[in-house]
Amino acid sequence: MALPLEEEVPPAAVSPQDPELEQLEIELLLEAVYRRYGFDFRQYAQASLKRRLWRRAYAEGMKTLTELQARLLHDPACMERLLVDLSINVTAMFRDPSFYVAFREKVVPALHTYPFTRIWCAGCSTGEEVYSLAILLQEEGLYDHTRIYATDINENVLATAREGVFPLTKMQQYTQNYIRAGGKHDFSRYYLAAYDAAQFSRSLVDNVVFAQHNLAMDRSFNEFNVIICRNVMIYFDKTLQNHVHSLFYDSLETFGILALGHKESLSFTPFASRYELLDETERIYRKTD
Ligand SMILES: C[S@@+](CC[C@H](N)C(=O)[O-])C[C@H]1O[C@@H](n2cnc3c(N)ncnc32)[C@H](O)[C@@H]1O
């Protein structure tokens, strides 16, 4: 079993007021954020959004969401803090090791038939997923003819991703994940340990382009053989999920692969019939038309 990612435990719900008024304040605040900064959280799943807004309000010493809205409008640094709260960057190397086993077995053989592979890793957070994928592709002899486009809405997490420096304390867990993910070598060959940090090999990001991209607002920017978007859409409401599925459908070539998180699915979306299941548990799909 993968170790639980403790930051995913939601903060305590704290909304002391009339639900209708609270709903109005949330809508106005999200509209204000969108119009002032261009970040569109208007279609994020309500329950977790509400908890995170209240957490930020209390942290800023505010008693209402309207007060928080005023601060957000006038103080970009407060917006940065809210962005961190809302964008939930929890991740890990070889998170869900069984996903990587399935990827090796069911996706890698198809990638060997392509002269060149383009992979979009959407919502990559601080990059652990990207480094994991790069390691897998190197071990499978695919990395040299692959380009990975790694995107996230949050520029701060992308800066960490570009550096590839992760806490040394995490390496024990990541080594276990790597082994269970079918890793073929000694995991420590991929990083240099210095003090309390692990610097991952720069060769792992030679073929990676990191870029800011907002799945809610930005368009497709290429045609891909594989799109990996794990543990991102779980925070979106149905309408936004369908919007992102439409974006992915348009961005995948025919027979392209779509990989979602364990709690995400293509079922009950307008695109369910346009893909076939390659692995039900691991939520790996292949576009068929
Ligand atoms: C929980 S992390 C998932 C990281 C990684 N995919 C994994 O499974 O470990 C979710 C990421 O989605 C990003 N995200 C949230 N909303 C987004 C949006 N509208 N567009 C792009 N990325 C978004 C967040 O910034 C965060 O880094």
Side-chain angles (χ1 to χ4, degrees), residues 120-164:
W120 181 10
C121 194
C124 68
S125 187
T126 37
E128 287 84 338
E129 182 172 60
V130 180
Y131 287 82
S132 308
L133 188 64
I135 289 170
L136 183 154
L137 294 169
Q138 270 195 1
E139 293 184 356
E140 298 294 338
L142 284 164
Y143 188 71
D144 289 343
H145 43 101
T146 301
R147 169 127 322 152
I148 302 174
Y149 297 85
T151 63
D152 201 281
I153 190 177
N154 184 337
E155 190 54 65
N156 295 331
V157 294
L158 288 171
T160 305
R162 285 189 191 95
E163 282 183 6

Side-chain angles (χ1 to χ4, degrees), residues 6 69 190 246:
E6 65 285 351
Q69 176 186 317
Y190 294 108
S246 167

Side-chain angles (χ1 to χ4, degrees), residues 5 14 27 37 40 51 54 73 83 100 112 117-118 131 139 153 173 187 204 211 216 252 257 280:
L5 296 163
V14 274
E27 283 170 23
Y37 298 101
D40 191 356
R51 279 195 303 274
W54 274 114
L73 284 174
L83 198 56
Y100 291 88
H112 275 296
T117 303
R118 281 183 304 275
Y131 287 82
E139 293 184 356
I153 190 177
Q173 181 208 332
F187 186 56
L204 294 171
L252 268 180
I257 303 291
E280 188 164 11

Side-chain angles (χ1 to χ4, degrees), residues 5 8 40-41 44 86-92 95 121-126 129 151-154 157 213-217 229-232 235-236 240:
L5 296 163
E8 272 180 351
D40 191 356
F41 293 104
Y44 275 47
L86 292 185
S87 62
I88 315 143
N89 306 117
V90 170
T91 187
R95 177 179 193 174
C121 194
C124 68
S125 187
T126 37
E129 182 172 60
T151 63
D152 201 281
I153 190 177
N154 184 337
V157 294
H213 180 278
N214 183 345
L215 289 165
M217 299 174 66
C229 184
R230 308 192 71 234
N231 310 303
V232 178
Y235 302 110
F236 298 170
L240 184 52

Side-chain angles (χ1 to χ4, degrees), residues 6-246:
E6 65 285 351
E7 295 93 325
E8 272 180 351
V9 177
V14 274
S15 46
Q17 23 166 247
D18 166 356
E20 270 177 38
L21 177 59
E22 181 186 43
Q23 185 56 33
L24 177 61
E25 288 187 289
I26 291 174
E27 283 170 23
L28 292 173
L29 183 152
L30 297 180
E31 186 66 26
V33 164
Y34 174 56
R35 291 186 39 191
R36 172 85 166 89
Y37 298 101
F39 290 113
D40 191 356
F41 293 104
R42 293 173 299 177
Q43 290 173 305
Y44 275 47
Q46 279 289 309
S48 114
L49 184 69
K50 202 196 296 182
R51 279 195 303 274
R52 288 165 207 285
L53 287 176
W54 274 114
R55 188 168 66 174
R56 176 54 31 213
Y58 280 98
E60 303 285 333
M62 307 288 165
K63 290 201 178 61
T64 67
L65 294 181
T66 302
E67 284 178 67
L68 178 63
Q69 176 186 317
R71 164 139 331 156
L72 286 165
L73 284 174
H74 294 281
D75 180 0
C78 181
M79 182 62 225
E80 283 295 317
R81 294 191 288 276
L82 179 65
L83 198 56
V84 172
D85 292 336
L86 292 185
S87 62
I88 315 143
N89 306 117
V90 170
T91 187
M93 289 194 82
F94 294 97
R95 177 179 193 174
D96 303 326
S98 55
F99 166 72
Y100 291 88
V101 172
F103 194 92
R104 279 186 205 266
E105 284 172 7
K106 298 185 178 166
V107 180
V108 161
L111 302 188
H112 275 296
T113 66
Y114 299 143
F116 193 82
T117 303
R118 281 183 304 275
I119 300 182
W120 181 10
C121 194
C124 68
S125 187
T126 37
E128 287 84 338
E129 182 172 60
V130 180
Y131 287 82
S132 308
L133 188 64
I135 289 170
L136 183 154
L137 294 169
Q138 270 195 1
E139 293 184 356
E140 298 294 338
L142 284 164
Y143 188 71
D144 289 343
H145 43 101
T146 301
R147 169 127 322 152
I148 302 174
Y149 297 85
T151 63
D152 201 281
I153 190 177
N154 184 337
E155 190 54 65
N156 295 331
V157 294
L158 288 171
T160 305
R162 285 189 191 95
E163 282 183 6
V165 177
F166 305 117
L168 200 54
T169 47
K170 298 255 169 130
M171 291 307 124
Q172 198 182 348
Q173 181 208 332
Y174 291 174
T175 304
Q176 284 171 18
N177 286 359
Y178 167 76
I179 294 166
R180 290 176 39 238
K184 296 186 172 169
H185 301 291
D186 183 349
F187 186 56
S188 62
R189 75 190 269 158
Y190 294 108
Y191 63 86
L192 279 177
Y195 303 102
D196 54 356
Q199 165 74 67
F200 277 74
S201 164
R202 300 315 294 158
S203 72
L204 294 171
V205 281
D206 279 350
N207 298 348
V208 179
V209 178
F210 289 102
Q212 188 176 31
H213 180 278
N214 183 345
L215 289 165
M217 299 174 66
D218 298 334
R219 300 167 72 98
S220 174
F221 54 94
N222 214 326
E223 191 173 72
F224 298 96
N225 309 103
V226 179
I227 297 177
I228 297 174
C229 184
R230 308 192 71 234
N231 310 303
V232 178
M233 278 191 271
I234 196 170
Y235 302 110
F236 298 170
D237 74 6
K238 205 77 201 141
T239 311
L240 184 52
Q241 287 176 15
N242 287 344
H243 168 82
V244 177
H245 278 304
S246 167

